[in-house]
Amino acid sequence: MLKKEINNFLSNKSILILGFGREGKSTLKYINENNICYTRLAIADKNESIERQEKIEYFLGDDYIKAIYDFDIIIKSPGISLKDLDLHDVRGKIVSQTELFLKYGKEKVIGITGTKGKSTTSTLIFQMLNKEFSVELVGNIGIPVLDYVDKYEEVDYFVYELSSHQLELVDASPKIAVFLNLYEEHLDYYESFASYANAKRNIFKNQDETDLFVYNKDMKDTLIGSAYVKAKPIEISQDESEKLPFKNEFIDLNVDKDDIGLLGIHNLYNLTVAATVAKIVGVSDNSIISVIKNLKPLPHRLETVGIFNEIKYIDDSISTIPEATISALNSIPNVDTVLIGGMDRGINYDALVEFLAQTQTYNIILMYDSGKRIYEMLRKKPLKNNVIYAEDLEMAVRLATKITKKDSACLLSPAAASYGFFKNFEERGDKFKEYIKKYSDN
């Protein structure tokens, strides 16, 4: 039983909760509610203002991470980077909520990862399975997974969105693993792209011959690298998925393009993957098609904000890599203005610059640090576009409301992280909407 196994693992050990955000607080709640008999319990976090509780030790402030060397178990939160530490003596002691759940409860887990599309695909799989099964959506998109341990026996499937941070140090993999794609991302967190890729590959590395591995056929070498795949492979081509109908060896779904409520050719691939997984676990065609025909985009993912002064505004704040912005511009017709830029993490923008130099989008508004780098790269190209640098999002939106042609679209697709300027991509998208309404009325 999942709960018994986790409790036995934690009992009679010294435990450090590393990181006290949403997941760290969930871990402490689990330990307290299950009366785990520990020999020592501590919390380590950079935030020095955490409210202290009795019988718990605290390591707070800039040196909090050094506490990892003095405990039997370190339960790490996903956002904590260990790239600058010597883990030789502690690697085997570091676990996470994800690893505990996968290690003892993998049989009910469908795990989804990828640089882009994992939230959309996870939600699609959840909605399709939810038509006919008891299912929970957990992980990066939902509530921390230890909060669901008491429900494990009554749930048929856990659809688990897995970020690279959640997968980084795990030694367990889900029963069904989905690997959508892999691009340069999070280079501020990892030592290299290779380190980031290896973290992602943990989604399938610990599978066995009874498991299933669903992956992007067109990126096979990039996704798998030198790793060995033991699970049964199921290949899905992104290129082929961009053409209807949804069809492969598992599915043959007749859906009209006008019935699909998601923008973007990349979402046809996400839909194909979701439908394939749903069909494999036994969802009927009627239930799958019903979900496809009633789709609405998740917030900040090619989300139509509205039409203001005859200009259609689209929020794609989730775009944090060049490939996402290129896909967005290829997917949305009649984009006259695009807003690009954010935190500069040193990723390669050559492909995006070449694309922008040829695009029919006339106004290219660049902002923040990465926008400044792209702006300098574009200035060296022979351009017909109107390329402008704006200091921040507010200035960019204000300008866009003035220069975007009527009966066309204005797209926010930053190709960069929001950190340093916004709390997250959601706040960036919300500010975009706020500024549109503010300046479109003027």
Side-chain angles (χ1 to χ4, degrees):
M1 183 178 175
L2 174 67
K3 185 173 183 177
K4 182 179 179 181
E5 295 282 2
I6 293 175
N7 291 356
N8 286 342
F9 175 81
L10 296 175
S11 293
N12 301 312
K13 297 181 179 73
S14 59
I15 301 171
L16 175 70
I17 299 173
L18 184 60
F20 201 59
R22 183 179 66 168
E23 193 160 300
K25 292 173 183 175
S26 165
T27 300
L28 179 62
K29 176 185 173 187
Y30 182 89
I31 290 171
N32 288 335
E33 290 185 350
N34 288 277
N35 297 313
I36 301 299
C37 183
Y38 50 79
T39 61
R40 184 183 175 197
L41 179 62
I43 292 169
D45 194 280
K46 190 171 185 178
N47 180 9
E48 298 183 13
S49 62
I50 291 173
E51 184 178 348
R52 296 173 183 252
Q53 301 179 31
E54 292 183 3
K55 299 182 181 180
I56 299 176
E57 298 176 56
Y58 290 87
F59 300 87
L60 306 177
D62 292 339
D63 293 330
Y64 76 99
I65 210 159
K66 294 179 181 178
I68 66 172
Y69 298 104
D70 197 26
F71 289 85
D72 297 327
I73 297 174
I74 301 103
I75 306 178
K76 176 184 171 296
S77 294
I80 307 296
S81 174
L82 302 177
K83 70 175 182 179
D84 297 324
L85 293 179
D86 179 5
L87 301 180
H88 179 74
D89 294 330
V90 296
R91 170 61 186 88
K93 300 178 181 181
I94 301 172
V95 297
S96 62
Q97 286 203 12
T98 296
E99 177 161 8
L100 292 174
F101 201 86
L102 290 177
K103 185 175 182 179
Y104 300 117
K106 66 169 282 185
E107 293 301 318
K108 293 186 176 184
V109 178
I110 301 169
I112 301 95
T113 199
T115 305
K116 287 296 161 191
K118 54 186 177 292
S119 292
T120 297
T121 306
S122 298
T123 302
L124 289 168
I125 294 172
F126 167 75
Q127 290 175 343
M128 291 173 183
L129 268 62
N130 199 39
K131 291 281 186 179
E132 299 179 18
F133 294 96
S134 172
V135 59
E136 296 288 352
L137 181 61
V138 300
N140 197 51
I141 196 173
I143 298 170
V145 75
L146 285 190
D147 291 5
Y148 287 94
V149 169
D150 285 332
K151 298 181 68 175
Y152 184 79
E153 299 302 325
E154 62 194 64
V155 173
D156 296 314
Y157 293 101
F158 292 87
V159 179
Y160 204 143
E161 182 190 329
L162 291 162
S163 69
S164 59
H165 303 342
Q166 289 169 306
L167 288 167
E168 183 182 13
L169 297 174
V170 300
D171 292 319
S173 299
K175 184 68 178 176
I176 300 176
V178 178
F179 201 169
L180 296 168
N181 47 51
L182 186 64
Y183 304 107
E184 277 193 353
E185 177 75 297
H186 298 303
L187 297 189
D188 54 320
Y189 184 102
Y190 295 95
E191 293 178 351
S192 63
F193 176 69
S195 298
Y196 168 64
N198 283 330
K200 287 285 194 184
R201 289 174 186 140
N202 283 333
I203 197 169
F204 68 84
K205 280 183 183 177
N206 296 288
Q207 289 187 298
D208 60 36
E209 293 79 3
T210 67
D211 299 329
L212 298 177
F213 177 42
V214 182
Y215 67 92
N216 187 334
K217 174 183 177 182
D218 307 322
M219 300 187 77
K220 182 175 181 178
D221 293 341
T222 302
L223 299 184
I224 297 174
S226 60
Y228 177 64
V229 177
K230 288 174 279 190
K232 178 183 176 181
I234 297 173
E235 298 180 333
I236 298 179
S237 169
Q238 181 166 341
D239 293 340
E240 293 172 8
S241 299
E242 292 171 357
K243 307 160 191 169
L244 292 176
F246 299 111
K247 188 174 183 179
N248 56 38
E249 63 177 301
F250 299 97
I251 57 172
D252 187 0
L253 304 173
N254 188 16
V255 182
D256 191 277
K257 189 173 183 178
D258 293 336
D259 289 335
I260 302 172
L262 288 181
L263 298 172
I265 52 177
H266 58 285
N267 277 324
L268 298 180
Y269 167 65
N270 296 334
L271 277 165
T272 302
V273 171
T276 301
V277 171
K279 189 67 176 178
I280 287 170
V281 302
V283 180
S284 68
D285 287 356
N286 286 341
S287 291
I288 294 171
I289 291 171
S290 172
V291 169
I292 292 174
K293 288 186 174 182
N294 289 281
L295 288 173
K296 293 181 180 179
L298 295 176
H300 316 298
R301 295 161 173 86
L302 292 181
E303 176 192 10
T304 298
V305 178
I307 297 175
F308 299 85
N309 294 338
E310 301 176 64
I311 299 169
K312 184 177 184 179
Y313 290 90
I314 298 169
D315 172 10
D316 192 37
S317 183
I318 188 67
S319 161
T320 57
I321 59 171
E323 292 81 2
T325 298
I326 292 170
S327 178
L329 285 167
N330 279 331
S331 301
I332 307 299
N334 201 25
V335 176
D336 188 54
T337 301
V338 62
L339 280 58
I340 296 172
M343 177 184 181
D344 192 347
R345 295 164 297 164
I347 61 178
N348 190 316
Y349 281 113
D350 290 348
L352 178 60
V353 168
E354 290 301 320
F355 178 87
L356 292 174
Q358 304 296 323
T359 185
Q360 297 300 308
T361 299
Y362 182 64
N363 300 304
I364 302 170
I365 303 178
L366 301 157
M367 51 195 176
Y368 301 114
D369 297 340
S370 67
K372 189 174 294 184
R373 179 152 65 98
I374 296 168
Y375 176 75
E376 294 299 330
M377 294 170 73
L378 280 171
R379 286 182 63 189
K380 299 174 183 177
K381 301 282 185 183
L383 299 172
K384 297 180 181 178
N385 316 77
N386 182 27
V387 179
I388 306 167
Y389 180 77
E391 289 293 332
D392 56 28
L393 179 60
E394 183 170 10
M395 186 182 296
V397 173
R398 183 178 183 181
L399 180 61
T401 61
K402 297 180 181 300
I403 65 176
T404 305
K405 289 190 305 184
K406 305 294 185 186
D407 299 317
S408 67
C410 172
L411 168 69
L412 169 68
S413 191
S418 59
Y419 304 123
F421 309 104
F422 303 93
K423 182 170 65 175
N424 47 40
F425 75 86
E426 291 95 340
E427 183 184 51
R428 177 168 62 186
D430 289 340
K431 285 294 183 183
F432 176 62
K433 296 171 184 176
E434 177 186 318
Y435 297 146
I436 290 166
K437 293 170 184 176
K438 177 180 179 179
Y439 292 109
S440 291
D441 292 336
N442 294 337

